[in-house]
Amino acid sequence: MMPNQSKRFLFVATFSVLHFYSFAQDKPVYHKDWIDFNKNGKKDIYEDPKQSVVSRVEDLLSQMTTQEKANQTVTLYGYGRVLKDEQPTAAWDNEIWKHGLANIDEMLNSLAYNKSAKSSFSYPFSRHAVALNNVQKWFIEHTRLGIPVDFTNEGIHGLNHDRATPLPAPINIGSTWNTKLVRGAGEIVGREAKYLGYTNVYAPILDVSRDPRWGRVVETYGENPFHIAEMGKQAVLGIQQNGVASTLKHYAVYSVPKGGRDGNARTDPHVGFREMHELHLYPFRRVVKEAKPMGIMSSYNDYDGVPVSSSKYFLQDLLRKDYGFEGYIVSDSEALEFINSKHHVAVDYKDAIRQALAGGLNVRTNFDPPSTYLTPLMELINEGGLDMNILDQRVREVLTVKFKLGLFDHPLVDNTTLADKKIHTQADEDISLQVNRESIVLLKNEQQLLPIDVNKYKRILVTGPMAEATNYTTSRYGPSNNPITTIKDGIIEYAKGKAVQVNYSKGVDVVDKNWPESEIIPTNLSKEEIESMSEGVRLGKESDLIIAVMGESEREVGESRSRSDLNLPGKQRDYLMKLKETGKPIVLVLVNGRPLSVNWENKYLPAIVETWFLSGQSGHVVADMLFGEYNPSGKLPISFPKSVGQIEMNFPTKPAAQAGQPGVGPNGWGNSRVVGFLYPFGYGLSYTDFQFSNLRLNKKQIRPTDSLTVTVDVQNIGKRKGAEVVQLYIKDVVSSVTTYEMDLRGFEKIELNPGEKKSVQFSILPAHLELLDQYNKWTVEPGKFEIFIGNSSANLPLKDSFDATKE
C-alpha cells in the first residue's frame, strides 16, 4: 500500500498557512536569472550562473569573514534532535547560524521511533517541500552572503522520511545481485529527496562485512568488495541522476572492529595494509572513480593508530589525489570528538579540530549545537593555531559541491505541489516489491517441500517470535510510518482463498530473560517457556505443515549491537527441537540481519528460507514465495560460517587459509575442528534448475592493457520460470605477492522460461586483473589466469584460462 494521498489531505502548504517568520528585505533578492545573495544590488561573480564554478567559489570565498568560513564546516542536526524550531523564527537572527551553515541534517523527516522528531511538516510531501523552502529562504535572505544550506538525509534502504518508498535492508539489496534493480532503487531515493527539498543523501554504505558478529552487517551489501562496488556504483548513479549528492559511508576500514565488537569501542581494526586496499578500500576506490559521488562520510575508527577522520593519508592522499574525489567530507557523528576523547591523540578538543581540518575533514557533525564546535574553532583561529589556508581549502571544497548541486542557481523546490505526485508512487511500490522478492534466498529445499502444495497441506501452523514482529522492517536510517504486514498475517491472508486453515502460536520469545549471558551459559527452560512451547507443539501435531519464523529482532542487530555467538538467540532452537518431534515437515523462515550458524537446523529441517530484514511488505512477500507465486532468486552476499570459532571466514580467502588439518601422516593426529562453510558466498537455490555450457573466450592471450570477452550459455532445464545469477571468478595462478584463491569479477542476473537458453557475455578489463604489488602499485602482472563460471563460489562447473603477456 502507498501512503494515503487522497485529495482531502493534498493541500498546498502556502506561506500564509505555515505562518512562518516573515522575511522582509529592503532590496529585491530574486531576479529573473540570478539571485542577489549578498543583497548589494549588483550581480557578483558568485551570483552569475554563466561564470565557472571555480570563479564563483573564489569570488565568494574572497568576500567571506573568518566566522562565515568557519560556519561552512559544521552541521546542524534538524528539528527534534538539536534544532528546536520547525520553521525560522525571529530568534534565528541571533543564533550562530546567522553566519551560515554547511548543512542541516534530517530536517522535518519524522522518524517512526523518535517522538521528539515528529513534525506536522513531514507529510503531505508538498508541505515538507514548502517548509524546507522556507528554511532555505531564511539562509538566503537573513545571512550576509546568503549561502544556501545543503539539506542532508539518510537513505540506505529508502529515503529516511515519513512515508517515503520503503526498501528492505541493504543486506537484502545485496542479496538481489541485480544491478539494474539497484540503479532503479537509487533513482527512487534521489528523486524523492529532490522533490522533498533534500539535496544530499547519506548512501550507500560501502563497508565490507567480514565479521558477522558485528551489528551493522544488516546495513551493508555483504562481504565481497567487487560485488559491493558494482552494487554501490549503481546506487550512486541512481541517486545523483536526480541532481542531489550521494555521500558514501563509512570511510574507511570501519566494518571490522576487533572481535566484531561495536558500541563504545569502534576502534582497532586488525587489517593488514594490502588487505585494507584490496578488500576494504576497493569499493570506495572503484565507486569514487567510476560514479563520482559528491560526498564521503569519514568513520569513527583509527587505522594502525591514526584516526581516519584526521588522517591526511586517507582523506587527501588516497581519497582526493589517488581516487580523484571532488566532493566534501563530513564526519560521522562525534568522529571528530573521538580524536581526543576516544583515541587520545589530541591534547584537547581544539587540538582535535586542528588535526581534523588539517587532515582533510570538511564538516563536523555531532548531536549538539554548532556553537560547541564553532566556539573552540574560532578560539583556535584567533590564537593562530590553524593555518588560514587550510580553512580556506576546506571551505572551498564545501562551496564547490554547493555550486555543483545548483544551490546558487535553483536553491528552492520550484513546484512544491509535484512532491505529492512524484513520491511513493505505485511504480515505486512495484520496484520496492521486486527488490524485496529478489532478496530472499532459498537455503535448503529437501524433496521440493517448497513451494507449498495447498492441495496437500490443508492445516498449517505458523509459529515463532518473528512471525508477528514489525519493527525490524523500519530502521532509523530508512522510511517510516508506512503500512506493515507481518509474516503471520501475510500467510493467513494468502491461505484464505486457498481453503487452507492457518493456526498461530508464538511458542518462544526472541531472547530469554538471561540473554545475552545465556549465549555463553546455557540455562534450563523456565516453566513459562515450557508452557508456551507446549501450546505450539500441540498445534503442530494437529497440523500438516509447520512454518517456523525465527531469528533476530532489531534489538539484536544494528548499530552498537554486536553479538558473541551466531546461533539462534534465546531458546529458539530448543523450540525447534520440540517441533521436530511432532514428525511434521518444518519450513524455517529466518528473519535476521547477519549470518547465523544454523547447523542443527540445516541438518534436521527440510526447508530453510533466508529473508533478512524485509520492508513493510514482508508478510505478502514471504507468503507469495512460500506458496510459489514467484520463484526465489536471491544469492548470499556473505558467507555463513558453521561456528564463531571459524571467524574470520569469508570469501575471498587466501590459499589454504581455511583448510582442514591432516588426519593421518607424520603431522596427523586426528581432526580437531569443524571446517568449511555452512553456506558459501554466492549460494542460493531456486524452484527450477539451470545448466551452464559452452564457455568461450575471444582471446587466449592478452596484453596488460587489453580487455577480454567471456561468453557462456545458460539454460533453464527445470519446469518453472526462474532467474539465475551467473557468476564469474578469476584466479591469478602465480603472482609476486600472495593473492586470493579466486575472486568475483563479474555477475549478471538473467530470467529464463523453462527450456529457454541465453548467452551471457562478460568483459574482463585490465582493472579486473590488477593486484597491489610489493611496491604498493596497482599492476597487471604477466602470467596465467584461470576463469571459473557457475552459480556460487562453491559451484563452478566451467573453467578456462588465458595468459597475460608483457607489454
Side-chain angles (χ1 to χ4, degrees):
M1 293 178 62
M2 291 183 296
N4 188 343
Q5 294 182 335
S6 61
K7 291 183 179 179
R8 63 193 178 94
F9 289 111
L10 287 185
F11 65 95
V12 178
T14 62
F15 298 154
S16 60
V17 171
L18 294 179
H19 301 296
F20 67 98
Y21 176 46
S22 177
F23 309 132
Q25 292 291 338
D26 296 330
K27 299 177 182 179
V29 174
Y30 305 97
H31 300 273
K32 181 180 179 182
D33 59 354
W34 67 285
I35 300 172
D36 190 7
F37 290 103
N38 62 7
K39 281 76 72 176
N40 67 355
K42 67 175 185 176
K43 186 189 295 185
D44 291 80
I45 292 174
Y46 86 90
E47 297 166 343
D48 186 355
K50 295 181 180 179
Q51 299 293 325
S52 69
V53 169
V54 172
S55 298
R56 299 176 79 181
V57 168
E58 293 307 316
D59 180 57
L60 175 55
L61 196 62
S62 70
Q63 298 186 38
M64 296 173 70
T65 66
T66 301
Q67 183 69 65
E68 287 166 338
K69 292 175 181 178
N71 277 44
Q72 290 299 312
T73 68
V74 70
T75 293
L76 169 63
Y77 265 107
Y79 173 71
R81 295 146 185 92
V82 173
L83 186 59
K84 304 302 181 184
D85 306 310
E86 295 178 273
Q87 291 285 268
T89 69
W92 282 26
D93 286 332
N94 298 314
E95 294 284 359
I96 191 67
W97 51 85
K98 67 183 179 182
H99 302 290
L101 288 169
N103 55 41
I104 300 179
D105 193 33
E106 296 190 58
M107 184 61 176
L108 305 173
N109 60 353
S110 284
L111 297 187
Y113 309 124
N114 185 345
K115 293 181 180 179
S116 66
K118 186 176 180 180
S119 169
S120 64
F121 293 106
S122 63
Y123 186 83
F125 301 129
S126 56
R127 183 170 169 84
H128 184 270
V130 171
L132 254 57
N133 274 357
N134 294 338
V135 177
Q136 191 70 282
K137 282 169 68 69
W138 186 91
F139 280 91
I140 293 170
E141 299 174 13
H142 279 248
T143 64
R144 189 178 71 90
L145 295 176
I147 302 174
V149 295
D150 185 14
F151 287 111
T152 58
N153 198 4
E154 303 285 349
I156 59 175
H157 59 107
L159 187 68
N160 188 22
H161 187 89
D162 183 8
R163 283 166 270 199
T165 303
L167 296 168
I171 195 69
N172 289 77
I173 297 172
S175 297
T176 69
W177 290 63
N178 188 333
T179 53
K180 293 178 182 177
L181 201 55
V182 174
R183 176 66 177 266
E187 191 280 327
I188 291 173
V189 174
R191 169 169 37 84
E192 295 189 340
K194 184 73 172 179
Y195 281 103
L196 281 163
Y198 300 110
T199 51
N200 192 330
V201 179
Y202 290 161
I205 287 178
L206 298 187
D207 298 320
V208 180
S209 291
R210 305 291 284 185
D211 192 330
R213 292 170 297 185
W214 185 53
R216 302 192 81 170
V217 170
V218 68
E219 297 174 8
T220 72
Y221 290 140
E223 73 182 0
N224 183 269
F226 181 86
H227 171 262
I228 294 167
E230 292 293 306
M231 304 295 270
K233 174 183 175 180
Q234 296 305 319
V236 171
L237 292 173
I239 291 169
Q240 294 200 159
Q241 76 183 61
N242 296 277
V244 301
S246 168
T247 292
L248 310 180
K249 54 185 193 175
H250 308 85
Y251 179 83
V253 207
Y254 171 71
S255 55
V256 279
K258 187 177 179 181
R261 294 187 287 274
D262 199 359
N264 270 341
R266 299 186 180 188
T267 58
D268 202 20
H270 280 210
V271 177
F273 180 81
R274 182 166 284 102
E275 180 181 355
M276 174 183 74
H277 281 278
E278 293 180 339
L279 292 182
H280 297 279
L281 293 179
Y282 179 92
F284 290 96
R285 177 173 175 261
R286 282 269 320 275
V287 174
V288 169
K289 284 177 175 287
E290 297 172 24
K292 304 297 182 185
M294 300 177 77
I296 290 282
M297 181 180 289
S298 69
S299 55
Y300 301 117
N301 55 282
D302 69 328
Y303 174 74
D304 198 23
V306 179
V308 170
S309 290
S310 61
S311 168
K312 180 177 179 291
Y313 176 73
F314 280 105
L315 304 186
Q316 296 186 62
D317 296 346
L318 285 180
L319 194 55
R320 294 196 183 276
K321 295 178 183 177
D322 187 359
Y323 302 172
F325 177 66
E326 297 179 347
Y328 77 77
I329 305 165
V330 60
S331 73
D332 204 345
S333 298
E334 208 173 348
L336 188 152
E337 285 75 7
F338 281 174
I339 297 169
N340 166 242
S341 66
K342 193 92 37 159
H343 301 292
H344 304 296
V345 298
V347 295
D348 55 22
Y349 187 29
K350 280 193 286 190
D351 189 30
I353 294 172
R354 179 192 62 78
Q355 289 188 33
L357 292 174
L361 184 72
N362 295 101
V363 177
R364 171 267 196 182
T365 302
N366 200 359
F367 291 98
D368 58 21
S371 57
T372 61
Y373 160 83
L374 291 171
T375 299
L377 172 57
M378 290 302 295
E379 291 175 359
L380 182 69
I381 293 170
N382 293 331
E383 294 164 358
L386 180 68
D387 186 338
M388 284 303 296
N389 290 324
I390 290 175
L391 180 62
D392 284 351
Q393 183 59 25
R394 298 293 87 82
V395 175
R396 182 179 287 114
E397 289 155 353
V398 173
L399 295 177
T400 297
V401 170
K402 291 188 174 185
F403 276 106
K404 288 182 176 180
L405 288 173
L407 292 182
F408 287 87
D409 303 322
H410 302 283
L412 307 176
V413 179
D414 292 331
N415 187 344
T416 57
T417 62
L418 283 177
D420 296 319
K421 301 176 182 178
K422 298 290 187 179
I423 298 172
H424 205 154
T425 66
Q426 185 57 57
D428 296 334
E429 191 71 10
D430 291 343
I431 291 176
S432 173
L433 177 63
Q434 190 66 16
V435 176
N436 276 275
R437 285 182 163 188
E438 292 195 25
S439 72
I440 290 181
V441 186
L442 180 59
L443 298 177
K444 185 178 180 183
N445 193 21
E446 226 171 53
Q447 298 179 348
Q448 275 128 19
L449 176 59
L450 297 176
I452 297 168
D453 185 346
V454 294
N455 296 314
K456 182 177 180 181
Y457 301 105
K458 290 294 187 181
R459 297 172 300 171
I460 295 176
L461 170 65
V462 175
T463 189
M466 297 306 294
E468 280 196 308
T470 58
N471 285 3
Y472 73 87
T473 68
T474 309
S475 88
R476 61 99 54 250
Y477 293 106
S480 56
N481 306 317
N482 282 302
I484 298 170
T485 303
T486 67
I487 292 176
K488 181 202 76 172
D489 290 343
I491 293 172
I492 290 174
E493 187 174 327
Y494 184 92
K496 282 180 181 178
K498 306 294 181 181
V500 173
Q501 177 188 338
V502 176
N503 290 316
Y504 169 74
S505 175
K506 183 178 181 181
V508 67
D509 290 326
V510 176
V511 298
D512 58 85
K513 63 181 181 180
N514 295 312
W515 196 87
E517 184 184 72
S518 58
E519 292 210 313
I520 60 172
I521 304 176
T523 57
N524 294 326
L525 294 173
S526 67
K527 179 181 178 182
E528 293 77 15
E529 288 169 336
I530 292 172
E531 290 176 353
S532 182
M533 291 182 187
S534 297
E535 172 65 11
V537 170
R538 181 185 67 79
L539 290 172
K541 291 177 179 178
E542 298 172 0
S543 303
D544 303 317
L545 176 74
I546 299 172
I547 300 174
V549 189
M550 306 286 196
E552 303 168 305
S553 75
E554 76 289 347
R555 292 179 176 272
E556 294 77 50
V557 179
E559 189 169 5
S560 301
R561 292 181 175 92
S562 57
R563 286 185 60 189
S564 54
D565 188 79
L566 294 179
N567 293 324
L568 284 171
K571 297 295 194 295
Q572 294 183 64
R573 181 182 294 173
D574 297 78
Y575 182 44
L576 282 171
M577 289 178 172
K578 292 182 178 295
L579 290 174
K580 186 181 181 299
E581 292 175 0
T582 66
K584 302 302 172 68
I586 300 173
V587 177
L588 174 61
V589 175
L590 291 172
V591 176
N592 51 294
R594 57 164 62 84
L596 296 178
S597 297
V598 285
N599 298 287
W600 182 91
E601 296 83 351
N602 180 69
K603 184 171 183 177
Y604 292 110
L605 304 184
I608 302 177
V609 178
E610 176 60 85
T611 71
W612 303 113
F613 277 8
L614 297 165
S615 62
Q617 307 175 66
S618 59
H620 298 301
V621 172
V622 171
D624 286 349
M625 178 265 172
L626 293 177
F627 290 97
E629 293 299 320
Y630 68 93
N631 194 343
S633 62
K635 300 284 185 178
L636 292 180
I638 186 168
S639 308
F640 278 48
K642 294 176 180 177
S643 165
V644 291
Q646 295 175 292
I647 295 172
E648 292 181 6
M649 186 168 187
N650 311 94
F651 183 90
T653 184
K654 292 292 180 70
Q658 292 164 4
Q661 71 275 31
V664 296
N667 295 315
W669 295 87
N671 294 325
S672 62
R673 65 184 177 91
V674 173
V675 298
F677 293 103
L678 178 58
Y679 305 116
F681 173 78
Y683 171 80
L685 303 176
S686 170
Y687 291 157
T688 190
D689 295 303
F690 300 92
Q691 186 178 74
F692 296 81
S693 63
N694 197 20
L695 173 62
R696 48 211 187 270
L697 284 58
N698 72 329
K699 302 174 186 176
K700 293 291 287 184
Q701 194 174 77
I702 63 169
R703 293 172 299 177
T705 55
D706 289 344
S707 297
L708 177 73
T709 300
V710 178
T711 309
V712 64
D713 295 337
V714 185
Q715 185 175 14
N716 183 345
I717 59 174
K719 299 178 180 179
R720 292 179 61 104
K721 181 179 180 180
E724 179 63 293
V725 178
V726 187
Q727 302 169 36
L728 182 150
Y729 297 82
I730 292 182
K731 177 178 183 177
D732 190 345
V733 178
V734 178
S735 51
S736 63
V737 294
T738 303
T739 57
Y740 298 99
E741 288 184 330
M742 67 175 72
D743 204 354
L744 183 71
R745 283 298 180 263
F747 60 91
E748 184 171 341
K749 195 167 201 173
I750 59 169
E751 191 168 59
L752 297 170
N753 291 313
E756 185 180 5
K757 180 188 288 188
K758 284 184 181 178
S759 292
V760 178
Q761 192 173 92
F762 297 97
S763 291
I764 305 301
L765 307 176
H768 295 150
L769 309 177
E770 286 182 335
L771 57 75
L772 193 64
D773 68 17
Q774 54 191 316
Y775 305 106
N776 296 324
K777 301 293 185 182
W778 288 99
T779 184
V780 179
E781 294 185 339
K784 182 179 181 180
F785 291 86
E786 292 178 340
I787 288 181
F788 304 86
I789 287 187
N791 63 1
S792 83
S793 61
N795 183 38
L796 300 165
L798 301 184
K799 176 183 175 182
D800 205 338
S801 65
F802 64 93
D803 292 305
T805 63
K806 294 182 179 180
E807 284 284 6

